[in-house]
Amino acid sequence: MTTGNINVSVENIFPLIKKFLYSDHEIFLRELISNATDATLKLKHLTNIGEAKGVEYGNPLIEVKIDKEGKKLHILDQGVGMTAEEVQKYINEVAFSGAEEFLEKYKDSAKDSGIIGHFGLGFYSAFMVADKVEIITKSYLDAPAAHWTCDGSPQYTLEEADRKERGTEIILHINGESEEFLEESRIRELLVKYNKFMPVPIKFGTREETKTSGEGEEAKEEKVTVDNIINNPEPAWTRQPADLKDEDYKSFYRELYPMQFEEPLFHIHLNVDYPFHLTGILYFPKLSNDLNLQKDKIQLYQNQVFVTDNVEGIVPEFLTMLRGVIDSPDIPLNVSRSYLQADSNVKKISNYITRKVADKLKSLFNENREEFEKKWDDIKVVIEYGMLSEDKFFEKAEKFALYPTVDGEYFTFDELQERLKEKQTDKDNKLVILYASDKEAQHPYITEAKERGYDVLLLDSPIVSHLMQKLETSKDNISFARVDADSLDNLIKKDEEQVSKLNDDEKEELKKELEEVIPTEKFTVQLEALDSNASPFVITQPEFMRRMKEMSATGGGMFGMGNMPEMYNLVVNTNHELVGKILSTKTKAKKERLIKQSLDLARLSQGLLKGEELTNFVKRSYDLIK
Ligand code: ADP
Ligand code: MG
């Protein structure tokens, strides 16, 4: 038996482990299973390249066992094992990473064998939950088994053991504060969380299965006990896209999100070897307009080991609304998020993902535009968000971003420009794109615009005002205007002046009379000589004001605009018959009633008539018709 001190340079590792990883004790299991997996895959690799003479690889398992009474947790593998010298080297001289040496030695051939390591504290994380740790290990090489014991002080013992089978058993003597790790349900939860897709089968207990033997009349059902394997060692993302059908992607989605009953809209299989390694599958789920609800659904893996479901900094912000899996050994872990964002590999990864998503969207659009249009409403939030936040994506989205009309026709921006240019170009050569944000509420305004032969878009996502702002600054001579932002003549100013039926004196008088009745602290009266068929009274809210308010409500825009009081214009069409009638009415009471009624009708069209004013309106209306 040998005793000794663990390498002094890392003597302080125990307090370090306890302190820094305090909140994350549970990762010890991931680390130990990763080591067991590494050891198994190393053996596989060595047998494959003929380095492990006389060794049968077989179908090795990793097993996790709880000994509740003995307060022990066992992790067993059938991998390469270690000789006493190797224990001395790889465990006692912890500063030395065994995985690194292995990779160095088999550099070329080991590249794709999925050997891990590099999680940081690795084996020693066991001391977060155990007072004492034992290793009983027998190398695949012809050497006696070794038994290492350490009680969490730098002191260890190392002696020969009589284990005959190849592989390693780690025994954790679980400490008083960590007894949760002796609960079956807790361990199962961790195995499912971290190891659900690891490449070597992991056994945790057994389960009953019904087996049918024989056929027809002879058929017999019997219960058999089988190993309870908790993982799927070959998850869809590790397979070749060519070998997978649409159904495979869907069933993998269900495997990832068992509680999610809605099918994904489509998927993107990521697969790149150079200049970094990355595989994965991203899914577009149906998205609602609530942006925050849908984050943190993408899972990050390293060589099939779960790392986190917070991919902030790795995946561009707008894609965090997607779901699925990303697996890359090239993402540095245990570093701060701000460091991540500065890492050049991570930047490349993020750009790659953005590009793949854009390419996929483009090909979906090209292959079946009709289908793409049907999905548009469910995916537009991601695309619009992406266009706003990533300039590269903005450029690419040019080819597939859609602008729907209130009648359900979808156009790309180029198509839209082509379609609108004849009718909706104003006298200053600017193309005015009319839109509505709510088909029902803005119905009167939409109808009036359509009657003029204008197209009205339906733009209703929460960040669309930011996107319009961006489009207006990045394209020449276009502007967006909501249909109720002003009278149509003002929104799309044409050369032809409308002649006013009223002369200047009449206008002045009308204005005075109107302002006596209309609350001017809420409405700015604006006389306009409009088409005689256009509405007599229209309430509008200037585009700029409204949009700035919307933008500051969703972040950005102009500071403080959110607190501005609501201001409206009241456009009075001096060419309308009713307005002429108001002016010529002699009785004061009758005139007042006409003005009030007209104002209320305009308010009603804008959805502004409420409370007492609504009650008065209804009463007055009955009086007028009785
Ligand atoms: P890393 O996995 O990053 O190398 P660890 O601290 O997790 O660091 O493990 C240290 C070394 O101990 C491993 O590289 C490996 O050589 C050895 N080792 C740990 N667990 C096992 C095991 N189950 N079977 C064989 N070797 C192991
Ligand atoms: Mg390790």
Side-chain angles (χ1 to χ4, degrees):
M1 178 163 114
T2 349
T3 57
N5 279 333
I6 291 165
N7 191 343
V8 189
S9 66
V10 285
E11 188 175 309
N12 290 331
I13 201 152
F14 294 111
L16 204 83
I17 287 167
K18 292 206 163 135
K19 205 163 152 195
F20 285 105
L21 292 174
Y22 192 76
S23 60
D24 238 359
H25 281 181
E26 63 180 40
I27 59 116
F28 79 93
L29 190 61
R30 175 186 80 182
E31 294 300 326
L32 297 181
I33 291 185
S34 294
N35 285 349
T37 303
D38 286 351
T40 310
L41 293 178
K42 277 182 195 168
L43 187 73
K44 184 181 187 180
H45 185 64
L46 293 173
T47 50
N48 277 348
I49 62 170
E51 284 271 327
K53 300 264 171 343
V55 173
E56 178 73 42
Y57 179 63
N59 294 305
L61 280 181
I62 292 168
E63 187 174 359
V64 179
K65 282 200 286 204
I66 297 173
D67 169 3
K68 216 166 170 172
E69 258 142 60
K71 302 207 162 154
K72 286 184 283 186
L73 188 68
H74 300 246
I75 293 115
L76 302 97
D77 70 65
Q78 299 155 27
V80 282
M82 286 178 276
T83 61
E85 291 74 51
E86 283 169 330
V87 173
Q88 175 64 28
K89 188 166 168 192
Y90 299 137
I91 301 296
N92 293 337
E93 295 166 29
V94 276
F96 202 97
S97 170
E100 246 161 69
E101 196 196 36
F102 184 90
L103 281 177
E104 186 55 34
K105 189 159 167 202
Y106 298 101
K107 224 191 277 161
D108 303 318
S109 60
K111 219 180 258 159
D112 300 317
S113 58
I115 292 155
I116 338 170
H118 309 291
F119 264 118
L121 286 166
F123 171 75
Y124 277 90
S125 63
F127 287 97
M128 294 191 298
V129 299
D131 298 325
K132 183 167 126 187
V133 179
E134 295 177 66
I135 306 174
I136 302 167
T137 180
K138 164 98 180 72
S139 167
Y140 74 102
L141 299 166
D142 184 21
H147 184 180
W148 178 91
T149 314
C150 177
D151 64 1
S153 72
Q155 265 165 22
Y156 68 88
T157 63
L158 182 59
E159 58 193 331
E160 241 185 74
D162 54 8
R163 182 184 164 109
K164 292 281 173 289
E165 328 76 76
R166 175 198 72 227
T168 302
E169 173 169 11
I170 309 281
I171 306 169
L172 308 184
H173 297 258
I174 299 295
N175 65 31
E177 298 126 63
S178 306
E179 283 180 6
E180 60 184 288
F181 299 113
L182 294 168
E183 297 299 331
E184 198 185 313
S185 59
R186 179 74 170 121
I187 294 297
R188 186 178 310 113
E189 179 198 333
L190 291 181
L191 292 173
V192 168
K193 177 169 173 189
Y194 291 108
N195 309 297
K196 196 170 166 190
F197 299 116
M198 287 191 71
V200 178
I202 301 164
K203 175 183 170 185
F204 185 50
T206 55
R207 60 187 169 84
E208 301 279 293
E209 212 171 60
T210 336
K211 208 173 112 186
T212 18
S213 54
E215 269 179 43
E217 300 270 301
E218 312 275 275
K220 258 197 250 150
E221 287 203 340
E222 55 174 337
K223 288 227 186 292
V224 287
T225 306
V226 294
D227 287 349
N228 181 33
I229 303 297
I230 56 98
N231 56 334
N232 167 7
E234 255 193 29
W237 85 83
T238 63
R239 295 163 58 194
Q240 287 304 313
D243 300 337
L244 293 162
K245 295 197 188 56
D246 212 38
E247 189 40 47
D248 296 318
Y249 287 105
K250 284 186 181 149
S251 70
F252 180 59
Y253 186 77
R254 288 191 289 271
E255 206 176 328
L256 278 176
Y257 309 105
M259 303 310 281
Q260 185 67 47
F261 300 107
E262 200 137 29
E263 300 239 300
L265 296 168
F266 49 83
H267 65 263
I268 301 164
H269 199 130
L270 307 168
N271 197 343
V272 62
D273 280 332
Y274 185 82
F276 50 85
H277 266 284
L278 181 127
T279 50
I281 300 173
L282 292 179
Y283 293 93
F284 264 76
K286 266 194 175 176
L287 291 168
S288 71
N289 276 348
D290 189 340
L291 300 179
N292 288 318
L293 270 184
Q294 5 220 6
K295 289 191 179 171
D296 288 347
K297 293 278 168 42
I298 296 178
Q299 305 180 354
L300 177 66
Y301 287 76
Q302 283 206 347
N303 293 314
Q304 297 174 236
V305 186
F306 175 81
V307 179
T308 173
D309 53 14
N310 177 355
V311 292
E312 194 191 322
I314 297 160
V315 165
E317 166 96 14
F318 77 101
L319 293 177
T320 56
M321 286 182 270
L322 304 190
R323 305 212 172 122
V325 173
I326 289 171
D327 188 338
S328 173
D330 294 328
I331 297 169
L333 296 169
N334 301 330
V335 297
S336 74
R337 294 279 156 182
S338 57
Y339 177 86
L340 258 189
Q341 270 152 355
D343 185 273
S344 75
N345 243 345
V346 172
K347 240 187 223 127
K348 279 185 208 140
I349 288 174
S350 161
N351 288 341
Y352 165 80
I353 295 172
T354 307
R355 199 174 67 236
K356 282 296 271 199
V357 170
D359 290 349
K360 177 77 181 194
L361 290 166
K362 186 163 162 241
S363 74
L364 285 169
F365 174 82
N366 289 342
E367 278 158 25
N368 190 342
R369 175 156 177 173
E370 208 180 315
E371 269 302 303
F372 189 81
E373 288 181 0
K374 276 194 210 142
K375 287 173 179 158
W376 178 256
D377 270 339
D378 294 318
I379 60 174
K380 65 182 178 198
V381 196
V382 178
I383 298 175
E384 290 169 352
Y385 196 6
M387 289 170 76
L388 268 177
S389 52
E390 305 272 325
D391 284 335
K392 286 226 175 74
F393 189 81
F394 182 83
E395 281 162 34
K396 296 209 162 215
E398 210 62 274
K399 301 273 189 297
F400 54 77
L402 292 177
Y403 301 84
T405 68
V406 286
D407 301 313
E409 280 186 279
Y410 291 78
F411 301 105
T412 63
F413 199 84
D414 284 347
E415 291 164 353
L416 192 68
Q417 260 179 312
E418 200 44 45
R419 181 180 163 100
L420 304 187
K421 76 173 182 220
E422 197 187 326
K423 286 195 170 142
Q424 295 179 217
T425 304
D426 71 5
K427 65 180 170 49
D428 302 319
N429 211 21
K430 183 185 260 185
L431 184 73
V432 181
I433 302 167
L434 298 176
Y435 71 98
S437 60
D438 185 331
K439 230 158 84 169
E440 298 297 316
Q442 291 144 15
H443 190 271
Y445 300 85
I446 296 171
T447 308
E448 205 161 322
K450 280 178 23 187
E451 274 165 5
R452 293 252 189 136
Y454 296 154
D455 277 303
V456 180
L457 301 182
L458 180 64
L459 302 177
D460 58 1
S461 36
I463 46 170
V464 78
S465 41
H466 297 263
L467 183 61
M468 289 187 288
Q469 203 77 6
K470 174 147 180 146
L471 286 162
E472 285 171 350
T473 48
S474 61
K475 307 215 174 262
D476 288 335
N477 269 334
I478 64 134
S479 78
F480 284 86
R482 205 166 90 176
V483 273
D484 59 352
D486 203 337
S487 65
L488 287 166
D489 290 285
N490 278 341
L491 289 179
I492 308 177
K493 279 210 173 86
K494 297 288 173 67
D495 259 336
E496 69 257 30
E497 271 294 318
Q498 281 277 1
V499 270
S500 177
K501 286 185 185 166
L502 304 186
N503 64 35
D504 286 353
D505 287 346
E506 287 169 321
K507 279 197 227 163
E508 204 173 310
E509 194 191 332
L510 176 68
K511 189 150 191 212
K512 205 177 102 230
E513 289 174 358
L514 289 171
E515 286 177 345
E516 271 166 25
V517 182
I518 288 161
T520 46
E521 71 284 1
K522 284 189 198 147
F523 301 100
T524 311
V525 178
Q526 183 185 324
L527 299 189
E528 304 266 353
L530 304 174
D531 191 304
S532 57
N533 290 318
S535 298
F537 280 53
V538 182
I539 291 172
T540 62
Q541 195 179 20
E543 177 74 16
F544 173 78
M545 285 270 288
R546 204 207 62 251
R547 205 192 293 174
M548 286 303 153
K549 272 175 93 80
E550 281 170 7
M551 285 169 71
S552 69
T554 48
M558 264 158 83
F559 179 73
M561 285 301 262
N563 298 327
M564 294 280 286
E566 296 283 354
M567 272 298 293
Y568 296 94
N569 290 332
L570 178 71
V571 178
V572 177
N573 180 3
T574 54
N575 287 345
H576 196 280
E577 217 186 310
L578 175 68
V579 178
K581 191 173 157 188
I582 290 175
L583 190 63
S584 60
T585 298
K586 293 282 172 288
T587 10
K588 197 165 179 216
K590 201 170 167 201
K591 194 190 283 274
E592 197 179 306
R593 211 166 52 176
L594 279 175
I595 296 172
K596 278 194 170 149
Q597 189 72 0
S598 306
L599 172 67
D600 283 354
L601 285 167
R603 275 173 161 159
L604 203 57
S605 313
Q606 188 50 293
L608 290 172
L609 198 58
K610 292 185 186 99
E612 195 183 344
E613 287 169 337
L614 179 60
T615 313
N616 292 340
F617 167 76
V618 173
K619 269 202 197 126
R620 191 187 324 115
S621 300
Y622 282 130
D623 285 345
L624 281 167
I625 56 173
K626 76 180 173 205

